[in-house]
Structure formats: structure tokens, C-alpha cells
Amino acid sequence: MWASIGHSVAAAVGASFGSARRPLVICGDGGFHMTAQALSTMVRYERNPVVVVIDNGIYAFEQFLLDADYFSDPATRPKPYVVLNRWDFVKFANGLGVQSAQSVTTAAALDEALATAKASNAPALIVAKIDSRDLPAELG
């Protein structure tokens, strides 16, 4: 599972050709850095995946493996090599031709963004901004 960081975005392109179902994929911001250019392919070939990027600014799983205290102790600093260069994902997607790209910070805004994406038949990017110390309950 962790050996495929970023794969979901590029795989969504292939899935969109191989099925009548619309792909909805979730990717962390670090993984998205690795395969973000797949958005251009989606636009070029008029594919319609919905990509949700979880934007927390770090390689969180790697931080968890190296020093899990970061997620529970506000005094703990992240390892310097897990901190990501921050991208403006919405502008990036727009630059590649994705018209439906937006950033959200609440569950209600995420619901609205998903509804907007569903109403369109074009590729969509939703950037869900979360705190760098948020951690899935399964890991905590």
C-alpha cells in the first residue's frame, strides 16, 4: 500500500479509459507531487476523474514512522526531510487546463465541491487542506 505513493492519480487516467464508471481517487500532497502531470493527460483526452488531494504539507506517514510524537506533542517539530515544498494546487491544475479545481477546509465545503465535480463531466481537482498534525485514527 505505501509503496505506491501518488499512483492513484495516474491510475485514474487508465481507469477512466477502462470503465464507464467515473474514477474518484484520493492522494496525499506528497504523492500528488510525483504524478500531478496526469491532470494534463486527463484534460488532453477529455477524461473525467475526480482527484482529491489531502494537503497537509508533509509526508505524514513517513513522519509517523520516524517520530509519531509529532502528531500528539505540539512541541515536536517535523523531520526536515518530510516537509514539502508548498504548491498552489488549484493554480497548478488550472495551468494544465483543469477548469474545476478548488480548495476546501471544511467537511461541508468538501461535500459541496464533490457535488460540483459530480455535476460536471470534466476532470476535477479538490484540495482538502488539513492540519499537518492530523492523523488517521487507524494510525494513532
Side-chain angles (χ1 to χ4, degrees), residues 37-91:
Q37 70 279 6
L39 294 177
S40 178
T41 304
M42 293 174 195
V43 172
R44 166 73 173 93
Y45 292 100
E46 299 178 345
R47 308 317 301 164
N48 64 355
V50 176
V51 177
V52 178
V53 174
I54 307 300
D55 181 5
N56 63 357
I58 66 171
Y59 288 113
F61 186 66
E62 287 78 358
Q63 175 65 43
F64 174 77
L65 292 175
L66 296 166
D67 184 4
D69 289 342
Y70 171 77
F71 297 97
S72 59
D73 179 4
T76 303
R77 302 198 39 86
K79 300 295 183 188
Y81 39 84
V82 302
V83 177
L84 296 171
N85 181 26
R86 301 311 299 259
W87 290 8
D88 184 329
F89 296 115
V90 171
K91 285 184 181 177

